[in-house]
Amino acid sequence: MSSSDQTRVQNINLTPDKVMHKLVSLAKRRGFIFPSSEIYGGLSSCFDYGPLGSEMKKNIKDLWWNSMTRRHTNIVGIDASIMMNPMVWEASGHVASFNDPMIDDRTTKRRYRADHLIENHIEKLRRDGKTEQAEKVQSVYEALATAPDMNRALYDLIVSQNIKAPDTGSGDWTEVRQFNLMFQCAMGAVADTSNIVYLRPETAQGIFVNFHNVRESSRMKVPFGIAQIGKAFRNEIVKGNFIFRMVEFEQMEMQYFVKPGTQIEAFESWRAERFNWYIEELGISPEKLHWYKHDKLAHYADLAYDIKFAFPFGIEEIEGIHSRTDFDLSQHQQYSGKNMEYIDQTTGERYIPYVVETSSGSDRLFLALLSDAYNEDVVDGEPRVMLKLSPKVAPVKAAVLPLIKKGEMGEKAEKLRDELSMSFLVQYDDAASIGKRYRRQDEIGTPFCFTVDHQSLEDNTITVRYRDSAYQERIDMSKAVEFLAVKLV
Ligand code: ATP
């Protein structure tokens, strides 16, 4: 094969609803994501990552981890336990108020988030050009935060606005009830209220309670950050949309401790850095990323933005960036009786640091990357499915394909595979036609295929085929490792 007989690629445009359907099916067929405990009928909102999925997820987490800890000399990582002393959750406010307001439809027996119904209604009014009405409803909604009976107020607003269920159009509403999202379990032999422990609903608290341990052991000075990747659990009321909202998911969080008064500057700097990370490091299409500023702030926050992504089913949050004030450390000081102050060794000042947090979900990001990458086109008249993943994210970095599986060609190809495998995840494939083998790799997002052919036996060169353009060129076989290393920087 020479670079002169190049292939031609034609794009196909897909509607968003089709993309989701095709993604779910590809994810299962090619070993990215399986329904959890599928042979027993599965478990709602629980999924397993397969061989390729777990590799890709690891790549995402490694990229995040390195961007936080390796590239910032003042950020270190921890891995805190999922179960903690239940007082942690009393102090953080989760026991009292990590609730979602839910409402049921009597006719369809479906359950909804009351606040989401209202927020979607306001958005729809805006989309329909009913700006004045949208603003009116928005201001009533914001005022509900101080309503003496929040549930009643939410219900009244839903009924007075004649809000219907978005999926069924029905609106036979029950009262609104608060539903705590934390999973409880009993630790030890006897199940009573004295030994209730919770599965953590966020990873952040493991960082706050370790503030002094990390600061002292790593000799950190404010401003500094603590990063963590770990599982979190939420008994979500509204499920669905594949891995977008799960009950067991993984967060990648970083809490950045700053001097009070400097939090907005730190916030803005992290806001810019995090947005760019998705584009520059992960290769996400910039036009699919959006900012959402929270007008209605949580009681502990003084500024909050979400980074949203245009999923096939709508524009939804993938990361929250929050300025959390000194709320968490102050609460832990009060509940634990331990001093959470920081003493500036140079000036002698004492204060409880303020916190800027960046909180991203690796599963949602996985779905964002898959849906951004999903592509169908026609190459040389043959349709193909391709995941246009950035080489850094792609689970398999290269495929080694001998044109003929037996003899010298096969041996050479195996040698190349062994060499590459020392540094990269590569696949070896010698079954079916070369065209079919390229398609198999395109479908899982492998950015490069190395083909060992007749010419390889003569001059030790191989063909490199580029996934996106189907362009081909020859390189010396001894340069293959270096070639990949350069492409993955
Ligand atoms: P949402 O409003 O969608 O429920 P949230 O505002 O409660 O999200 P945060 O508490 O800010 O989310 O969590 C930070 C990140 O953790 C989110 O941006 C998301 O990527 C991820 N995340 C939160 N809940 C889930 C979930 N149930 N399944 C998967 N990822 C989640």
Side-chain angles (χ1 to χ4, degrees), residues 89-117:
W89 306 110
E90 297 279 351
S92 68
H94 283 81
V95 171
S97 57
F98 192 51
N99 300 325
D100 276 347
M102 65 177 193
I103 190 164
D104 290 284
D105 182 82
R106 289 192 196 88
T107 312
T108 62
K109 305 271 180 286
R110 284 176 183 247
R111 181 164 288 176
Y112 302 88
R113 285 264 303 262
D115 51 343
H116 284 180
L117 287 177

Side-chain angles (χ1 to χ4, degrees), residues 98 100 113 116 181 201-202 232-234 236 238 243-253 278 294 300 306-307 316-322 357-365:
F98 192 51
D100 276 347
R113 285 264 303 262
H116 284 180
L181 300 183
E202 63 175 27
F233 303 80
R234 294 183 189 174
E236 299 277 5
V238 181
I243 56 169
F244 176 79
R245 190 176 296 286
M246 305 200 284
V247 291
E248 174 183 343
F249 57 99
E250 213 161 20
Q251 289 188 314
M252 307 188 289
E253 292 199 306
Y278 288 101
H294 284 256
Y300 52 76
D306 291 340
I307 298 177
E316 300 284 354
E317 171 181 341
I318 51 172
E319 170 160 348
I321 302 168
H322 312 124
E357 106 179 328
T358 71
S359 177
S360 169
S362 60
D363 310 277
R364 274 193 198 175
L365 182 49

Side-chain angles (χ1 to χ4, degrees), residues 15-21 23 241 288 309-315 367-368 370-372 374:
T15 54
D17 54 322
K18 279 206 172 135
V19 171
M20 219 34 224
H21 183 71
L23 266 186
N241 279 334
K288 290 196 184 147
F309 174 81
F311 287 96
F313 45 83
I315 298 175
L367 184 58
L370 269 194
S371 66
D372 194 32
Y374 189 86

Side-chain angles (χ1 to χ4, degrees), residues 142-424:
E142 275 168 29
L144 296 190
T146 52
D149 184 348
M150 165 82 115
N151 292 346
R152 185 75 217 174
L154 284 167
Y155 174 82
D156 287 346
L157 188 55
I158 289 171
V159 172
S160 68
Q161 285 296 310
N162 198 19
I163 297 174
K164 305 284 184 209
D167 50 347
T168 63
S170 171
D172 185 10
W173 300 120
T174 62
E175 291 293 297
V176 173
R177 278 172 295 160
Q178 293 293 326
F179 181 78
N180 194 291
L181 300 183
M182 280 201 296
F183 280 101
Q184 285 184 13
C185 38
M187 191 174 219
V190 191
D192 68 30
T193 48
S194 65
N195 56 10
I196 284 180
V197 288
Y198 300 98
L199 299 184
R200 65 180 176 197
E202 63 175 27
T203 53
Q205 297 305 324
I207 288 178
F208 294 128
V209 297
N210 275 300
F211 171 68
H212 281 314
N213 284 338
V214 174
R215 184 189 58 70
E216 279 166 19
S217 59
S218 303
R219 297 175 30 243
M220 305 304 280
K221 291 192 175 63
V222 166
F224 74 93
I226 305 178
Q228 178 171 213
I229 299 178
K231 291 265 181 165
F233 303 80
R234 294 183 189 174
N235 200 356
E236 299 277 5
I237 303 163
V238 181
K239 303 186 173 74
N241 279 334
F242 199 29
I243 56 169
F244 176 79
R245 190 176 296 286
M246 305 200 284
V247 291
E248 174 183 343
F249 57 99
E250 213 161 20
Q251 289 188 314
M252 307 188 289
E253 292 199 306
M254 193 276 300
Q255 270 68 37
Y256 198 68
F257 299 91
V258 301
K259 188 177 168 183
T262 64
Q263 72 274 17
I264 302 302
E265 195 186 324
F267 184 93
E268 288 304 336
S269 153
W270 278 110
R271 200 156 86 80
E273 181 164 337
R274 292 303 303 146
F275 199 81
N276 287 341
W277 184 73
Y278 288 101
I279 299 164
E280 283 158 23
E281 193 74 17
L282 302 185
I284 290 190
S285 313
E287 70 278 7
K288 290 196 184 147
L289 291 172
H290 301 266
W291 280 116
Y292 172 78
K293 183 172 190 272
H294 284 256
D295 296 322
K296 202 165 142 256
L297 290 167
H299 57 283
Y300 52 76
D302 63 2
L303 190 58
Y305 275 82
D306 291 340
I307 298 177
K308 294 195 170 198
F309 174 81
F311 287 96
F313 45 83
I315 298 175
E316 300 284 354
E317 171 181 341
I318 51 172
E319 170 160 348
I321 302 168
H322 312 124
S323 176
R324 289 178 78 121
T325 69
D326 59 358
F327 175 80
D328 301 273
L329 289 182
S330 300
Q331 287 291 104
H332 288 305
Q333 174 165 291
Q334 191 191 327
Y335 278 72
S336 68
K338 302 281 185 308
N339 191 329
M340 286 293 179
E341 280 177 324
Y342 173 77
I343 304 170
D344 186 319
Q345 296 300 331
T346 325
T347 63
E349 280 175 284
R350 305 169 77 99
Y351 54 82
I352 294 185
Y354 270 39
V355 171
V356 172
E357 106 179 328
T358 71
S359 177
S360 169
S362 60
D363 310 277
R364 274 193 198 175
L365 182 49
F366 189 107
L367 184 58
L369 286 162
L370 269 194
S371 66
D372 194 32
Y374 189 86
N375 196 75
E376 286 185 12
D377 58 14
V378 177
V379 180
D380 285 345
E382 287 275 323
R384 73 163 172 175
V385 172
M386 166 176 56
L387 290 184
K388 219 170 177 173
L389 292 167
S390 132
K392 288 184 198 174
V393 171
V396 178
K397 305 302 181 197
V400 177
L401 317 171
L403 204 58
I404 299 171
K405 67 170 142 185
K406 295 211 177 80
E408 213 186 323
M409 224 181 267
E411 280 162 29
K412 233 181 181 18
E414 277 177 15
K415 189 164 163 274
L416 177 62
R417 175 204 54 200
D418 293 346
E419 256 172 46
L420 291 165
S421 297
M422 302 290 282
S423 319
F424 312 102

